[in-house]
Amino acid sequence: MWKLIKKLVFILIIANILFVIFGIFFNPPVTWTQLGSVFKYGKMQRDYIAYDDMGTNIKKAVLASEDQAFFNHNGFDYKAIEKAMQKNDKKGKVVRGGSTVSQQTAKNVFLWQGRSWLRKGLEAIYTFIIEKIWGKDIILERYLNVIEMGQGVFGVEAAAQYYYNKPAKDLTKSEAAWIAAVLPNPKKYDPKNPSAYLNKKHKWIMRQMNNIVLK
């Protein structure tokens, strides 16, 4: 029994190493979140594209919305985590997360959704690994290709086509900001029918995009 367990652990380790190496060159064939979308919405709309084909506006919009310190941290933004904890303590519930784009990439590519300590622990491990092995451009490309940006809509190219019938590289600053505004809750918000909150967030992202410098 013990030998079988050791063999299974060894296989899992090797499989994970190969998956991380695979991720340097290719987007994931499918993710757990994408599979869940098929069962929930009966569809999975996505179109993986290269980093250079995504255009500047959507990159700036997403970073402005989700992780303005992306190019300056090591995968973990401790200031953002501290602010999130303070706000959550004040509200008495989880109203804000401190996850970076690197952490969200680790979760979306390798893991599943949820708030368990096991998943958060694995997320931290994968985040550390991809920061060391993939680097920022690959992490951002994988994130922008797999992140859910609508009900059953994954990645910036599919989102651009779904909301505006155009490639991601052709999105205007305002259009890119509208798509980014649905994060991190794309199942709830819709740029086609924005709430007062979404309108406010869109304007904020537009201003913050001026502070983003791509590297």
Side-chain angles (χ1 to χ4, degrees):
M1 185 64 179
W2 178 240
K3 287 183 178 180
L4 178 61
I5 293 174
K6 288 197 295 184
K7 185 177 290 187
L8 289 174
V9 170
F10 177 76
I11 291 172
L12 284 172
I13 291 173
I14 296 299
N16 274 276
I17 291 173
L18 293 175
F19 197 12
V20 170
I21 295 173
F22 176 88
I24 297 174
F25 307 101
F26 306 101
N27 289 285
V30 70
T31 69
W32 288 111
T33 305
Q34 291 171 352
L35 285 175
S37 171
V38 175
F39 288 106
K40 187 170 184 178
Y41 302 113
K43 68 173 185 177
M44 182 182 70
Q45 186 174 338
R46 70 176 191 186
D47 188 3
Y48 291 156
I49 58 175
Y51 183 78
D52 292 337
D53 294 331
M54 292 176 175
T56 299
N57 283 330
I58 192 62
K59 295 173 189 174
K60 287 188 173 184
V62 170
L63 290 178
S65 176
E66 294 297 289
D67 188 359
Q68 295 189 26
F70 175 69
F71 289 106
N72 299 315
H73 60 59
N74 64 353
F76 305 93
D77 188 342
Y78 301 104
K79 290 183 180 179
I81 293 172
E82 184 179 357
K83 287 181 181 179
M85 291 177 65
Q86 290 174 351
K87 189 165 186 177
N88 294 338
D89 287 341
K90 186 176 180 179
K91 295 291 184 178
K93 60 181 180 178
V94 178
V95 295
R96 176 177 175 176
S99 294
T100 63
V101 160
S102 301
Q103 288 173 275
Q104 292 180 54
T105 303
K107 175 183 70 177
N108 281 282
V109 172
F110 298 101
L111 302 169
W112 60 93
Q113 303 296 319
R115 296 185 180 278
S116 69
W117 286 108
L118 172 61
R119 204 226 68 200
K120 291 298 291 184
L122 291 172
E123 177 187 296
I125 294 171
Y126 278 115
T127 299
F128 176 81
I129 291 172
I130 63 176
E131 277 279 338
K132 295 296 183 182
I133 297 178
W134 287 6
K136 295 294 187 181
D137 283 359
I138 294 176
I139 290 173
L140 187 55
E141 179 183 326
R142 300 292 172 265
Y143 176 80
L144 292 173
N145 271 323
V146 305
I147 190 68
E148 190 169 12
M149 309 192 91
Q151 295 184 356
V153 180
F154 294 88
V156 296
E157 182 69 9
Q161 295 289 350
Y162 178 73
Y163 292 116
Y164 298 109
N165 295 310
K166 62 170 65 174
K169 65 180 180 180
D170 293 336
L171 290 170
T172 66
K173 182 178 179 180
S174 179
E175 289 167 345
W178 275 120
I179 291 175
V182 306
L183 302 172
N185 199 341
K187 294 182 176 70
K188 179 179 180 181
Y189 300 116
D190 183 359
K192 296 179 179 179
N193 186 28
S195 62
Y197 166 78
L198 208 63
N199 273 302
K200 183 178 179 180
K201 186 175 181 182
H202 173 261
K203 293 176 182 177
W204 179 83
I205 291 173
M206 289 276 286
R207 294 194 300 270
Q208 296 301 311
M209 286 173 71
N210 296 324
N211 302 324
I212 303 297
V213 178
L214 298 174
K215 298 181 181 179

